[in-house]
Amino acid sequence: MAKRIVPGQTIGIIGGGQLGRMMTIAAKEMGYRVAVMDPTKDSPCAQVSDIEIVASYDDLDAAKKLAEVSDVITYEFENVDHIVLGWLEENAYLPQGSELIKITQDRANEKKAIVRSGAEVAPYFLVNNIEDLQAGLEELGMPAVLKTCRGGYDGKGQAVIKETNDRSDAEKLLSHGQCVLEKWLSFEKEISVIVTRSVSGEVNTFPIAENIHVENILSQSIVPARIDAQIAQKATEKAINLAKSINMVGTLAVEMFLTTDGEIFINELAPRPHNSGHYTLNACETSQFEQHIRAVCDWPLGKPDLLKPVVMANILGEHLQPVLEKIDQFSDCKLHLYGKAEAKVKRKMGHLNILANTIEEALDKYESLNIWNN
Ligand code: ADP
Ligand code: MG
């Protein structure tokens, strides 16, 4: 049921974090009005939107209010409450549906959907109790990593098991419900592909990002990724096949591991714009946020072409002050801050897109800023 949402109409967003904020800024540029629902007053998204509904994510009455003022509903995170989701699907216009979110809310479902699309995942074992954990370790060997099926992010809800007497953290995770035990892959690189599919079924991907994590939090995305063109092609195809096979609408971020012998394993999915796509804000013809709005409002998708090599560096709480002291050096950098009140350690406060004629130059600039090396 293709349905164009036209400028002047209202887009409702569930979740008021930085992803919602950047979606909203794109939507406002295109002439839309935006309503946001988030439990915290003056959230990053509410600061730039027209209508703010302060309520917890499982507040059905608040969701009904959001639906009442909105012509289309989207979301900026995957943990939308299932009762709210069900109600919205029945009673409001939610072009993304609920299937994609149900798949990505649970690592076990996610892995099955990935395999169904013809792609590979790291060997894994479903774990519900200590006996399963033992059986899984015997099958997969060590090191392995145990992840809760639901609710994990930025390395939370995970425990790496390197040797047999290294299991107490993993055993604690079992109280959070079903888990997956994964074989630890010694990958060469982590990359991601962001794929967008519109209500009318048009599919598009952004250039591949090479991602560097520090303590499980994304630290840098380097674009173009320094990988073989054939592998890039294969990775892009896998993301497109996946998007088509789950018949999604909206944005899907596909995180992948690349091994030294050129194998690609899909690590995890996010059903929304992604931190590793923030580089698109300044380096691509269309940003991932504009593309998402185009997709759910059923516009033709924008051209995703990379205009300039770029390094995206995340600004966590501990980086904020050093960043502010370096503004004089930002003629070739685009600073994005999310309007969060408190600069807590490890909290994502913003990001810096460093643009240059080559990746080497952008990386040199990154080093010379001397913000992330201490
Ligand atoms: P989340 O991003 O939700 O915290 P991920 O599953 O992406 O969880 O794991 C976070 C990071 O941990 C990955 O980006 C990767 O660096 C590392 N990691 C996760 N699973 C594996 C694995 N099976 N083998 C090697 N490294 C892994
Ligand atoms: Mg991840």
Side-chain angles (χ1 to χ4, degrees):
M1 173 193 57
K3 172 165 140 188
R4 163 113 8 115
I5 301 298
V6 295
Q9 289 190 289
T10 302
I11 300 170
I13 304 177
I14 301 177
Q18 63 265 25
L19 300 176
R21 176 185 177 96
M22 291 183 274
M23 269 183 207
T24 300
I25 292 171
K28 296 297 295 176
E29 281 183 344
M30 294 159 82
Y32 290 100
R33 299 182 70 79
V34 176
V36 58
M37 173 173 145
D38 189 274
T40 313
K41 204 173 167 326
D42 199 40
S43 63
C45 183
Q47 291 168 25
V48 294
S49 56
D50 300 280
I51 299 169
E52 176 182 21
I53 296 170
V54 181
S56 70
Y57 297 126
D58 59 0
D59 183 336
L60 187 57
D61 287 332
K64 289 179 181 173
K65 222 185 279 167
L66 181 73
E68 211 169 280
V69 298
S70 303
D71 297 287
V72 59
I73 305 268
T74 186
Y75 49 82
E76 61 126 37
F77 71 146
E78 46 272 59
N79 295 319
V80 179
D81 177 78
H82 75 277
I83 293 172
V84 166
L85 195 64
W87 187 89
L88 289 172
E89 200 179 16
E90 289 279 302
N91 301 286
Y93 179 49
L94 183 73
Q96 290 164 275
S98 63
E99 193 53 30
L100 175 63
I101 234 177
K102 282 181 188 150
I103 290 172
T104 53
Q105 267 179 356
D106 186 294
R107 288 189 194 271
N109 289 342
E110 187 171 287
K111 286 183 191 299
K112 284 177 202 145
I114 294 167
V115 172
R116 236 183 284 125
S117 80
E120 288 72 38
V121 296
Y124 72 97
F125 197 97
L126 289 180
V127 172
N128 288 300
N129 50 47
I130 293 191
E131 291 73 40
D132 294 345
L133 180 60
Q134 180 60 31
L137 287 170
E138 277 165 26
E139 183 173 309
L140 302 174
M142 283 176 278
V145 53
L146 189 73
K147 303 179 181 179
T148 57
C149 280
R150 291 174 169 267
Y153 68 97
D154 288 346
K156 294 189 176 75
Q158 300 196 8
V160 179
I161 306 168
K162 295 198 179 108
E163 48 188 282
T164 316
N165 53 10
D166 201 17
R167 287 175 14 181
S168 62
D169 286 348
E171 285 171 8
K172 274 183 223 142
L173 286 184
L174 292 174
S175 64
H176 297 268
Q178 193 176 49
C179 294
V180 287
L181 184 71
E182 284 176 31
K183 189 178 169 65
W184 189 258
L185 298 177
S186 57
F187 55 80
E188 198 202 347
K189 275 188 175 22
E190 290 192 76
I191 58 172
S192 57
V193 183
I194 292 170
V195 52
T196 319
R197 188 165 179 274
S198 74
V199 171
S200 292
E202 191 189 355
V203 180
N204 223 326
T205 61
F206 285 100
I208 297 179
E210 172 183 341
N211 300 320
I212 296 172
H213 293 84
V214 174
E215 291 172 23
N216 284 318
I217 302 177
L218 183 66
S219 174
Q220 264 178 295
S221 292
I222 299 169
V223 191
R226 296 164 296 178
I227 58 174
D228 187 86
Q230 259 182 327
I231 290 175
Q233 173 83 25
K234 261 195 348 196
T236 303
E237 273 166 21
K238 283 182 196 290
I240 292 173
N241 288 344
L242 188 52
K244 288 185 176 162
S245 115
I246 57 185
N247 211 13
M248 57 157 289
V249 169
T251 305
L252 180 70
V254 186
E255 295 182 13
M256 306 179 187
F257 297 128
L258 209 64
T259 64
T260 33
D261 30 335
E263 277 184 295
I264 298 169
F265 293 93
I266 297 186
N267 172 29
E268 63 164 354
L269 309 176
R272 49 166 171 80
H274 192 253
N275 196 166
S276 70
H278 290 358
Y279 79 88
T280 60
L281 279 167
N282 304 110
C284 288
E285 202 165 313
T286 306
S287 80
Q288 62 167 347
F289 302 102
E290 178 186 339
Q291 201 75 307
H292 182 78
I293 299 297
R294 282 173 174 257
V296 297
C297 293
D298 202 33
W299 285 37
L301 295 180
K303 296 272 179 288
D305 303 44
L306 188 72
L307 304 174
K308 232 178 161 176
V310 59
V311 170
M312 187 284 313
N314 260 348
I315 299 167
L316 304 182
E318 61 271 33
H319 304 132
L320 184 60
Q321 197 49 41
V323 161
L324 296 177
E325 285 163 15
K326 298 276 160 67
I327 288 177
D328 282 342
Q329 296 178 45
F330 287 174
S331 60
D332 48 1
C333 300
K334 299 290 185 186
L335 177 61
H336 298 260
L337 293 175
Y338 308 146
K340 295 184 186 176
E342 232 188 305
K344 290 193 197 141
V345 172
K346 302 249 178 288
R347 179 184 241 182
K348 289 176 181 170
M349 302 301 291
H351 64 274
L352 190 69
N353 284 335
I354 306 171
L355 297 150
N357 293 318
T358 64
I359 280 301
E360 292 68 33
E361 269 177 47
L363 286 169
D364 284 348
K365 175 73 188 213
Y366 172 91
E367 291 295 328
S368 76
L369 286 171
N370 204 25
I371 293 168
W372 292 273
N373 355 353
N374 37 26

